[in-house]
Amino acid sequence: MDVALPPGMERILFTEEQVAARVREVAAEIDAKYQGRELKLISVLKGSVFFLTALARAITVPVKIDFLGISSFGGPAKDGHSPGLVRIAKDLDEPIDGEDVLLIEDIVDTGFTTRYLLQTLAGRGPNSLAICTLLDRTVRRIVQVPVEFRCFEIPDRFVVGCGLDYRQLYRNLGYIGVMNPDGLGKHS
Ligand code: IMP
Ligand code: MG
């Protein structure tokens, strides 16, 4: 079935069905690694919330969830990418010491956000700490971070959907699409 694409959306990179299938595969990898253990999934607001819920539903080992809110300072870059400077705006509700923690990301891009979060969480004494991301854009990586689970590697294009936004819009799209903000004219 054809989907009507919103203005500025160039093409669909991964359909809703492809995303759902890949999420199930990654959930199975996570189940295999954490068999017999309890997992704490930590979601970074707001981008990774959609991925977190889909993943949590597909994982069969017992999971707990918690949320971190971050804010970037310096303002968003022109292309909407994070400028790399972040701080915690909303902290976790519970401690994570002694827990097996999986940090759930929407996208690992330059790696700055993820590295900052990893360092912060590592300092709180978890039993283990790993990263699971929906999207990985390694071509733009500036700082190295160990990505243990990833659904998709993506090209160097700005994407939206499945939690990812352009100016807070399009997070609720079930597919992942390539957005070209220049195509939006005066609204870009
Ligand atoms: P990093 O610190 O450069 O790795 O950026 C990570 C954050 O930048 C993500 O959590 C997103 O909020 C944002 N971001 C990076 N690339 C995209 C994109 O293609 N679409 C939407 N948001 C993005
Ligand atoms: Mg984000």
Side-chain angles (χ1 to χ4, degrees):
M1 198 184 84
D2 283 348
V3 197
L5 301 183
M9 191 74 79
E10 257 180 39
R11 64 190 166 96
I12 295 178
L13 199 54
F14 303 110
T15 64
E16 189 163 353
E17 292 73 22
Q18 286 172 317
V19 173
R22 192 64 196 120
V23 167
R24 282 194 297 273
E25 286 174 0
V26 169
E29 287 175 32
I30 292 170
D31 276 343
K33 173 165 175 185
Y34 295 94
Q35 211 43 248
R37 285 142 84 185
E38 222 175 61
L39 250 186
K40 168 74 64 82
L41 305 179
I42 293 182
S43 167
V44 186
L45 298 168
K46 314 176 180 91
S48 78
V49 169
F50 291 80
F51 178 42
L52 167 92
T53 56
L55 192 68
R57 290 290 298 268
I59 288 174
T60 64
V61 297
V63 297
K64 296 178 187 170
I65 61 174
D66 206 345
F67 298 91
L68 262 181
I70 56 172
S71 63
S72 309
F73 45 101
K78 189 174 176 292
D79 60 0
H81 286 31
S82 149
L85 301 168
V86 290
R87 66 176 179 82
I88 292 182
K90 179 231 170 283
D91 208 337
L92 297 172
D93 289 335
E94 307 284 342
I96 55 167
D97 55 293
E99 296 198 288
D100 290 305
V101 173
L102 200 50
L103 177 63
I104 310 296
E105 285 276 26
D106 51 355
I107 183 166
V108 182
D109 187 33
T110 61
F112 282 117
T113 308
T114 310
R115 184 180 64 173
Y116 170 77
L117 293 173
L118 266 190
Q119 286 172 346
T120 304
L121 296 175
R124 299 181 184 189
N127 181 52
S128 69
L129 178 58
I131 301 165
C132 174
T133 189
L134 175 63
L135 305 178
D136 196 353
R137 190 162 45 212
T138 52
V139 291
R140 277 178 43 97
R141 196 76 93 248
I142 296 172
V143 294
Q144 294 312 310
V145 285
V147 175
E148 180 132 12
F149 305 98
R150 80 165 58 74
C151 291
F152 302 104
E153 170 77 45
I154 63 162
D156 191 7
R157 296 300 310 277
F158 190 79
V159 294
V160 295
C162 294
L164 289 117
D165 73 301
Y166 172 65
R167 299 190 169 175
Q168 300 302 325
L169 286 172
Y170 312 116
R171 293 190 194 275
N172 60 326
L173 296 175
Y175 59 86
I176 292 163
V178 172
M179 164 115 335
N180 180 4
D182 294 340
L184 294 173
K186 64 183 170 65
H187 298 294
S188 65

